[in-house]
Amino acid sequence: MKKVLVIKSSIFSNQGQSSKLVDHTVSSLKKRFGDIELIERDLSVMPIEHLTAQTVTAFMAEDSADLSIEQQQEVELSNTLINELKSVDYIVLGVPMYNFTIPSTLKSWIDYVLRVGLTFNYTDTGPVGMVNNVKQVTIATTRGGLYQGTPKDTQTNYLIDTLNFIGINNIDFAYAEELAMKDVDEILRQSFKRIDSLIEVV
């Protein structure tokens, strides 16, 4: 059975347009593979605390006994998120654009899973990713305007660079743009078609 990690980062939870694209992606994966095992994180429902100096210190500590209870909990959460990441075949990310960037809740998830010695290592020849189980990532991103392929699209390269850094290289995007300017239903329909075409070949 295929295992899928689903991450929604819309502040509107399941009502967000990016979440609708995520749900369609999951449905498409079910049609492609039959039963799948889902790990779902809705970051608007269960947000991850933003990175602090205390958190970084905890992540780098060799002995957890010296950490405060709060720091131990942060390390435990990070370990859980990393274990989820390392256990799945596919990842589906819902990423709306807020003020030209990704949601801060998604950035927190990234900060908790990028840990030296666990998801990447530094070597004499540079950093090496340690997450080699993920076959494909589908990123459903929604924008009010038209940004794909322009300097204002700060999401695409950032997410590619971040995932590549930990060893994940097979990344596809389904964009739903101009949602504040044109017919939303039609834009979503076109994005659904794009998602279906991506899933057909995973």
Side-chain angles (χ1 to χ4, degrees):
M1 182 183 296
K2 303 298 183 183
K3 195 170 182 179
V4 182
L5 174 61
V6 174
I7 298 177
K8 297 177 178 178
S9 60
S10 171
I11 58 175
F12 300 103
S13 189
N14 288 327
Q15 302 305 311
Q17 305 295 4
S18 64
S19 296
K20 294 175 184 177
L21 296 185
V22 166
D23 290 342
H24 185 86
T25 308
V26 171
S27 295
S28 192
L29 284 167
K30 288 179 179 178
K31 290 178 183 177
R32 174 78 167 81
F33 296 116
D35 288 338
I36 60 176
E37 181 179 349
L38 287 178
I39 300 173
E40 184 169 338
R41 287 197 171 267
D42 187 334
L43 300 179
S44 72
V45 176
M46 295 185 66
I48 299 165
E49 294 293 331
H50 291 157
L51 201 65
T52 65
Q54 175 177 283
T55 312
V56 172
T57 300
F59 289 169
M60 297 176 66
E62 295 183 3
D63 187 354
S64 61
D66 296 330
L67 301 176
S68 68
I69 293 176
E70 183 177 5
Q71 286 177 308
Q72 291 178 23
Q73 291 172 340
E74 290 169 338
V75 171
E76 182 178 352
L77 174 58
S78 174
N79 290 341
T80 296
L81 297 175
I82 290 170
N83 288 337
E84 290 176 354
L85 180 64
K86 287 186 168 184
S87 73
V88 299
D89 303 294
Y90 299 94
I91 299 173
V92 181
L93 295 180
V95 188
M97 177 180 277
Y98 296 144
N99 298 320
F100 303 104
T101 189
I102 66 171
S104 63
T105 51
L106 180 58
K107 179 59 165 64
S108 292
W109 179 83
I110 290 170
D111 288 338
Y112 269 66
V113 298
L114 265 68
R115 283 179 60 192
V116 64
L118 294 178
T119 53
F120 71 93
N121 254 330
Y122 289 114
T123 70
D124 292 339
T125 56
V128 175
M130 299 171 65
V131 182
N132 52 24
N133 50 283
V134 178
K135 296 179 176 65
Q136 192 75 22
V137 180
T138 304
I139 300 177
T141 180
T142 51
R143 293 96 178 266
L146 184 61
Y147 301 106
Q148 184 182 353
T150 75
K152 288 186 173 63
D153 182 2
T154 62
Q155 294 181 320
T156 300
N157 287 340
Y158 170 72
L159 291 170
I160 291 173
D161 290 344
T162 298
L163 293 169
N164 286 175
F165 188 74
I166 59 175
I168 301 172
N169 299 298
N170 296 321
I171 305 163
D172 287 314
F173 286 81
Y175 300 92
E177 298 197 296
E178 298 184 285
L179 291 168
M181 306 162 64
K182 295 184 177 180
D183 186 305
V184 171
D185 290 338
E186 178 58 28
I187 292 169
L188 292 181
R189 277 194 293 270
Q190 293 302 316
S191 296
F192 291 162
K193 290 180 181 179
R194 164 69 174 164
I195 288 167
D196 291 340
S197 67
L198 293 174
I199 300 304
E200 282 179 3
V201 296
V202 298

